[in-house]
Every structure is written in C-alpha cells, then in structure tokens.
C-alpha cells in the first residue's frame, strides 16, 4: 500500500519503469499479503532504482535518495528538510516550508475533484502506470526475482 506512493515518486523523477526484478515475502503471521519487498527498477531512460518496503521493520522511517553525476538528493520523512549533497562536498538544506504545498492536501484535492470544483491533480493514467509496476513487483517476487517487463498500455 505504501509502494504506490514511493514507486510513483520514483517514476516522477526517473520516468517510466520498463522492467522490475523483485524479492517479496510475507513475514507477519496475521496477514496474507506481501509485507516486505525489495525491487530493482530499470527505467526507460537507462537509470536504475531500488525500492525497499517493509511493514515488519522495527522503525517506521521513510527516505528517498536520488544519486546523480553531480551529487545526491536526500529526502527523509514528513517535516524533514530536503538535502542536496553536492559532489564537491557542499550540502544545501531546503526547509519543508519551501517545497511543501501550503494550501491543499491530498484529501482536499480529492474532495474538490469529486465535487467538480477542481480537476484532479493526478490523472487516472498515473495511478494505472504505477499499478502496472506494482503488479510486476508481485510477479517477479512470485518467480524468485526473475525480471518482469512493465508494459505501459
């Protein structure tokens, strides 16, 4: 359930996912769904990405990193600063107030779209695209990590 958000963010930064290799597991005895996943993405532009999700981790922490030729972009949990670590060693921090939208949250956006007050900021095609990636993660996990192509229809 959290994979949709993190995977969508990865696609927003890196573009369409073309293939996935994943290991998945269900550790909690009280559920019958995957609660741990590690996936290697190959993006259409040639980049690779790693997605690691766990509902059995002792510490609930989410972070996001983008590594490029000139440095690294680091984002922690809600309320954390965005950090840019440059190749030359300099680190720049951007406080959340400068990159978080101040007005409408996702609940308000959804309510406005349903009421016809405003268009949805995220079209259904975006949700469909990440669902294809999530389906590929489950398929690859069921096949012991074999690569699965993601076909954007």
């Amino acid at each position: 359930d959290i994979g949709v958000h993190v995977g969508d963010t990865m696609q927003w930064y890196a573009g369409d996912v073309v293939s996935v290799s994943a290991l998945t597991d269900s550790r909690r005895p009280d559920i019958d769904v995957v609660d741990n996943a590690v996936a290697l993405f190959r993006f259409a532009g040639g980049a690779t990405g790693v997605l690691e999700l766990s509902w059995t981790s002792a510490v609930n922490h989410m972070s996001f990193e983008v590594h490029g030729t000139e440095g690294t972009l680091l984002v922690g949990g809600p309320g954390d600063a965005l950090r840019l670590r440059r190749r030359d060693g300099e680190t720049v921090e951007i406080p959340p107030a400068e990159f978080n939208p101040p007005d409408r949250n996702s609940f308000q956006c959804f309510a406005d779209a349903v009421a016809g007050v405003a268009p949805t900021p995220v079209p259904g095609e975006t949700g469909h695209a990440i669902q294809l990636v999530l389906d590929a993660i489950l398929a690859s996990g069921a096949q012991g990590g074999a690569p699965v192509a993601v076909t954007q229809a």
Side-chain angles (χ1 to χ4, degrees):
D1 60 347
I2 193 67
V4 68
H5 303 292
V6 179
D8 177 58
T9 301
M10 291 175 72
Q11 284 197 120
W12 186 81
Y13 277 104
D16 289 339
V17 176
V18 295
S19 69
V20 173
S21 298
L23 297 175
T24 59
D25 200 1
S26 296
R27 297 289 177 132
R28 290 181 46 184
D30 57 331
I31 61 172
D32 61 355
V33 296
V34 168
D35 58 14
N36 283 269
V38 177
L40 176 63
F41 292 178
R42 181 162 307 280
F43 294 93
T48 56
V50 177
L51 174 68
E52 181 180 0
L53 302 166
S54 173
W55 279 114
T56 59
S57 171
V59 178
N60 186 13
H61 176 74
M62 187 173 103
S63 63
F64 188 82
E65 299 178 10
V66 177
H67 301 275
T69 57
E70 298 301 316
T72 300
L73 170 71
L74 302 152
V75 181
D80 287 351
L82 181 114
R83 292 186 312 272
L84 300 169
R85 289 191 183 151
R86 295 188 176 146
R87 188 173 171 175
D88 63 9
E90 181 184 357
T91 298
V92 176
E93 287 201 9
I94 302 168
E98 291 185 28
F99 63 86
N100 281 336
D103 298 333
R104 299 170 63 219
N105 63 33
S106 60
F107 300 109
Q108 187 63 52
C109 291
F110 178 76
D112 289 348
V114 170
V117 175
T120 178
V122 182
E125 293 81 9
T126 301
H128 182 255
I130 190 57
Q131 186 60 54
L132 294 172
V133 173
L134 297 175
D135 291 345
I137 290 172
L138 290 175
S140 177
Q143 298 173 32
V148 171
V150 177
T151 305
Q152 300 290 333

